[in-house]
C-alpha cells in the first residue's frame, strides 16, 4: 500500500544549509530518489558533477547560468538532465535561485580530472535532514521521510 497524500507547507519549512550560499527543503525521500527545493544565493554555485540517474529541475524564482554554455534558465524554465549528464552551474541575478528538483540515482561531484570527490544520494540527503533535525531539536516530518531504506 502506498503512503496517503499529504500537504506540506513549504513556506513554513526552514532552509537547511548544505554549503556556502546553498540550502534545501526536503520534500520526499524514497529509495532511489528524492525531491527537494534547492536555494542558491546569487553567485553561489553547484560545482562540476555527474548524474547516475535523471534529474528534473523547475525554476521557481531567480536564474541560473549553466557553466560552459552560458545558457540562462530563469523562472518557469524546466531542465531535464538525463543519466550521465556532467555539468556545473551558478545562481545569477539579484535574488536567490530556487529550484524544484526530482533526483534519481546519485550525484558525483568530480574534480577537473574527473575523479569523484563526493557522492550524494537519497541516503546522504536524508541523513543530512535527520542530523539537522537532531541538532535543532526539531522532530523530522514523517511524511518527508518516506519508506525505510533498510
Amino acid at each position: 500500500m502506498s503512503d496517503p497524500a499529504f500537504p506540506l507547507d513549504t513556506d513554513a519549512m526552514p532552509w537547511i544549509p548544505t554549503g556556502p550560499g546553498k540550502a534545501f527543503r526536503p520534500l520526499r525521500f524514497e529509495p532511489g530518489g528524492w525531491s527537494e527545493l534547492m536555494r542558491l544565493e546569487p553567485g553561489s554555485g553547484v560545482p562540476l558533477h555527474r548524474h547516475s540517474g535523471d534529474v528534473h529541475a523547475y525554476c521557481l524564482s531567480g536564474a541560473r547560468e549553466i557553466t560552459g554554455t552560458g545558457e540562462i534558465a530563469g523562472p518557469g524554465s524546466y531542465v531535464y538532465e538525463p543519466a550521465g549528464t556532467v555539468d556545473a552551474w551558478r545562481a545569477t541575478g539579484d535574488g536567490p535561485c530556487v529550484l524544484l528538483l526530482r533526483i534519481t540515482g546519485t550525484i558525483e561531484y568530480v574534480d577537473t580530472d574527473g575523479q569523484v570527490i563526493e557522492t550524494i544520494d537519497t541516503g546522504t540527503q536524508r541523513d543530512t535532514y535527520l542530523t539537522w533535525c537532531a541538532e535543532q531539536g526539531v522532530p523530522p516530518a514523517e511524511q518527508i521521510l518516506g519508506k525505510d531504506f533498510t
Side-chain angles (χ1 to χ4, degrees):
M1 178 187 263
S2 63
D3 293 332
F6 60 89
L8 271 178
D9 181 1
T10 59
D11 286 338
M13 296 171 68
W15 288 103
I16 299 170
T18 57
K22 184 179 174 190
F24 83 115
R25 287 177 172 161
L27 302 175
R28 182 77 174 174
F29 298 110
E30 296 179 325
W34 74 99
S35 299
E36 69 176 51
L37 295 175
M38 177 190 284
R39 178 185 170 129
L40 283 138
E41 298 302 323
S44 298
V46 175
L48 192 62
H49 60 282
R50 175 176 44 237
H51 303 282
S52 74
D54 296 340
V55 174
H56 301 267
Y58 180 77
C59 185
L60 297 168
S61 64
R64 64 182 176 140
E65 179 181 353
I66 311 302
T67 305
T69 68
E71 293 173 281
I72 303 291
S77 66
Y78 166 77
V79 176
Y80 168 68
E81 300 175 29
T85 299
V86 178
D87 66 343
W89 50 275
R90 67 180 185 86
T92 62
D94 297 331
C97 177
V98 178
L99 302 170
L100 171 60
L101 299 171
R102 173 65 184 152
I103 302 162
T104 60
T106 61
I107 299 172
E108 298 176 328
Y109 289 94
V110 296
D111 63 18
T112 54
D113 295 325
Q115 298 299 308
V116 176
I117 54 177
E118 182 181 12
T119 301
I120 306 291
D121 62 18
T122 305
T124 61
Q125 283 296 90
R126 187 174 189 260
D127 288 348
T128 297
Y129 171 62
L130 292 173
T131 299
W132 182 89
C133 287
E135 290 171 351
Q136 301 300 314
V138 175
E142 290 299 319
Q143 67 264 42
I144 292 172
L145 294 177
K147 296 177 177 36
D148 246 343
F149 301 159
T150 57

